[in-house]
Structure formats: C-alpha cells, structure tokens
C-alpha cells in the first residue's frame, strides 16, 4: 500500500508539471457532453485481503489467506452524458497467487486469473480545465478463471459482484491527449472451498486498483 501511494504521489507531481508545461497549448480539447475518452493504463491490483481458513465444522485452522499483488495493462472507456457527469468502464485481467499462511506455514495453494470489470459513474469537477479531478462510484464483477491448483490442494473460488469508489485526475498534455492517474477501492468478498470443502474461508479481498496512463479524447 505504501509503495503504491508513493508511486502515485510521484506521478501526481509529474502530472502537474506536465499540465503546467501544456498550459499554453492552443489546441487543448476540453471535456464536454458527448466526449468519449479511451485510456491506456498500467494498473496495480493490490488485494487488502483477510480471511481465516476453517474446517468444514467451523474450527479455526490457524491459517489465513494471502493473495499477491499484480501489475497489468488495462483499458478504460468513458462517455460524458453532461459536461460534468460520465460513465467509465475498465477492462483488464490480472494473475494472482493464493497462499495459506500461518505461524509456521507459508504454502502456495492456487494460481488463478481474475477478470474484474468495473463500471463507475463519475463527477468531473473541472472538465474544461487542463487539470481535471474527478470522483466516482460503481460496481464490479470478479470472474475467476484459468485456475491452477498447487502443492496437492484443490481450490475453488466463487465469482460475484462487488462495489467500488474512485478518485482520479486528468492532466492535459496537447490537443486531445492527457495524462491520467486513477485509484479505485473495490469492496468484494468470496467463498473459497479447499479440498472439496474440507477447509473453507470467507475472504474479503477489497483490492486497491491504482493506475497511470495516457488518455485520448474523441
């Protein structure tokens, strides 16, 4: 979490500098009703997971679920219904290793991909400005696929819906191009079944989805 915030802070400083340098660009294209934005980003998905692993009878095994971070390319698509209000959808897929950890245990049990599309409704505070912050809220769907069991374990994860909040900023570069910084917090939990239900866990994943990239306005 700390390294993500430091990275975004550094990118934010670069973004403001870029915005200042672009301040005299005569061909700056502001956001307005009907604008479509396509953003290509590098995204880190950082789960903030918590989940005790229990036996089928409900006895605590002393183990917890651990899920690693993943950094991947993503695409964002936004449409402005008004000058200030837009809807955004993001597409991307990330790969994660799942471990069972405890006082004397650290073992990988499953490797899987997740397709987590997020759709948010956004409010843009300064759509005609060269530095344009926004906030948003919406829903996501976690679809687990391509799972590969590890070390003799058999793991099944339940796909399902979650919610998300969002904050970001667009910094104009030149013409229709801009730098985009975006952070989402996704709230999502899943049921994990291990070895056909011999062990179970209710896992709160709640990832931070932090992105930086370049956007183009149509």
């Amino acid at each position: 979490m700390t390294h993500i915030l430091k990275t975004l802070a550094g990118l934010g400083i670069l973004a403001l500098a870029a915005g200042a340098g672009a301040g005299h660009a005569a061909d700056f294209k502001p956001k307005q009703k009907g604008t479509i934005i396509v953003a290509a980003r590098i995204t880190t998905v950082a789960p903030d997971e918590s989940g005790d692993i229990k036996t089928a009878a409900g006895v605590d095994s002393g183990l917890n679920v651990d899920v690693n971070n993943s950094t991947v390319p993503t695409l964002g698509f936004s449409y402005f219904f008004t000058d200030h209000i837009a809807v955004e959808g993001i597409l991307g897929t990330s790969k994660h290793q799942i471990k069972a950890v405890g006082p004397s245990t650290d073992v990988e049990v499953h490797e899987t991909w997740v397709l987590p599309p997020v759709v948010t409704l956004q409010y843009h505070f300064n759509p005609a400005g060269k530095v344009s912050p926004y906030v948003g809220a919406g829903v996501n769907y976690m679809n687990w696929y391509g799972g590969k069991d590890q070390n003799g374990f058999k793991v099944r994860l339940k796909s399902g819906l979650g919610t998300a909040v969002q904050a970001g900023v667009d910094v104009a570069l030149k013409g229709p191009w801009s730098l985009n910084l975006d952070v989402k917090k996704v709230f999502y939990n899943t049921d994990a079944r291990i070895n056909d239900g011999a062990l179970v866990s209710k896992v709160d994943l709640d990832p931070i989805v932090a992105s930086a990239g370049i956007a183009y306005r149509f």
Side-chain angles (χ1 to χ4, degrees):
M1 173 65 179
T2 301
H3 75 278
I4 292 174
L5 294 177
K6 287 181 178 178
T7 300
L8 287 173
L11 289 171
I13 293 171
L14 291 175
L16 292 175
H24 300 290
D27 56 353
F28 166 65
K29 184 178 180 181
K31 299 172 183 174
Q32 56 189 1
K33 180 180 177 180
T35 295
I36 296 173
I37 298 178
V38 178
R41 301 166 172 145
I42 296 298
T43 298
T44 294
V45 180
D48 184 19
E49 74 282 355
S50 63
D52 298 334
I53 298 175
K54 299 181 179 180
T55 68
V59 178
D60 193 340
S61 69
L63 300 175
N64 296 291
V65 173
D66 179 81
V67 184
N68 75 318
N69 298 351
S70 181
T71 299
V72 295
T74 59
L75 288 174
F77 302 89
S78 300
Y79 177 79
F80 279 74
F81 293 108
T82 72
D83 289 354
H84 290 273
I85 297 175
V87 63
E88 183 199 36
I90 65 166
L91 293 177
T93 186
S94 56
K95 186 178 182 181
H96 299 271
Q97 285 75 44
I98 300 173
K99 292 183 177 182
V101 298
S104 58
T105 302
D106 187 346
V107 59
E108 186 172 327
V109 299
H110 195 64
E111 181 179 84
T112 186
W113 290 86
V114 61
L115 181 67
V118 181
V119 178
T120 57
L121 188 66
Q122 302 172 334
Y123 184 84
H124 292 252
F125 294 95
N126 186 30
K130 293 180 176 63
V131 178
S132 178
Y134 59 86
V135 294
V139 296
N140 86 298
Y141 185 82
M142 293 285 190
N143 180 38
W144 304 96
Y145 71 95
K148 183 178 180 182
D149 295 323
Q150 304 287 335
N151 296 311
F153 291 90
K154 182 180 178 182
V155 178
R156 296 294 176 265
L157 300 170
K158 184 178 180 181
S159 299
L161 289 169
T163 57
V165 293
Q166 173 187 36
V169 63
D170 291 309
V171 179
L173 297 176
K174 186 176 182 181
W177 294 97
S178 60
L179 176 65
N180 174 256
L181 304 176
D182 185 274
V183 179
K184 297 178 179 71
K185 176 68 174 180
V186 177
F187 301 94
Y188 168 77
N189 59 70
T190 185
D191 294 327
R193 288 171 52 87
I194 304 169
N195 295 343
D196 295 318
L199 295 171
V200 296
S201 182
K202 291 186 178 296
V203 185
D204 293 322
L205 285 174
D206 298 347
I208 291 174
V209 182
S211 303
I214 299 295
Y216 187 89
R217 305 179 192 187
F218 294 91

